[in-house]
Amino acid sequence: MSFDEEWAADKAAVTMRLNQAGSTGGSGPKGSADYVVEDDDLGEIGHAAKGLFDGLEPAGKHANAASESAGSSLKGDGFDTGAALSEVNKTWETQVKTLLQACAHISNHLDYTKKSSKANDEWIGAQLRIVGPVAPGNEGAVSASQIDKFFR
């Protein structure tokens, strides 16, 4: 079996499972294949990531100076614990920076997602508007085939 054939089979199997998955909440009907995230949800997640970033930056660094000083002092007095403490402090700094970058990435990505989603919705809305006069009794409805092409 070629890669393309295997990939197509795997995609079909996953799609089938997703379409049959029961809903455990959210705004869609049970078993809905659509994934819906409201802008308010994205905003709350982004706000939480920004709050974690703002709080972690000072909190993650508050013991840095004391730990570095203690490590240097102990190492200078010939204790192996001093070198170990300095190494742990460097590792801690690296981990805090990594977490700060992750929080910033999440917040920035969600901001982008909200803006991009809004732009896509506006573009689709503009494409679906009927331009010109509408026949009496038609109410300006767009045909199903016109709508369907936006969901492929």
Side-chain angles (χ1 to χ4, degrees), residues 26-106:
S27 59
K30 185 173 176 116
S32 172
D34 292 333
Y35 179 71
V36 178
V37 178
E38 302 296 329
D39 281 346
D40 291 344
D41 296 334
L42 294 177
E44 287 178 27
I45 295 167
H47 181 72
K50 177 77 167 85
L52 181 58
F53 179 91
D54 292 341
L56 179 63
E57 193 164 25
K61 297 177 182 179
H62 83 277
N64 183 37
S67 297
E68 194 58 42
S69 174
S72 296
S73 178
L74 288 168
K75 191 183 337 183
D77 290 339
F79 289 100
D80 290 339
T81 309
L85 181 59
S86 293
E87 185 64 29
V88 166
N89 191 44
K90 287 178 189 170
T91 302
W92 176 258
E93 282 185 60
T94 301
Q95 295 299 320
V96 168
K97 287 178 185 175
T98 301
L99 186 54
L100 286 169
Q101 289 174 348
C103 290
H105 180 72
I106 289 168

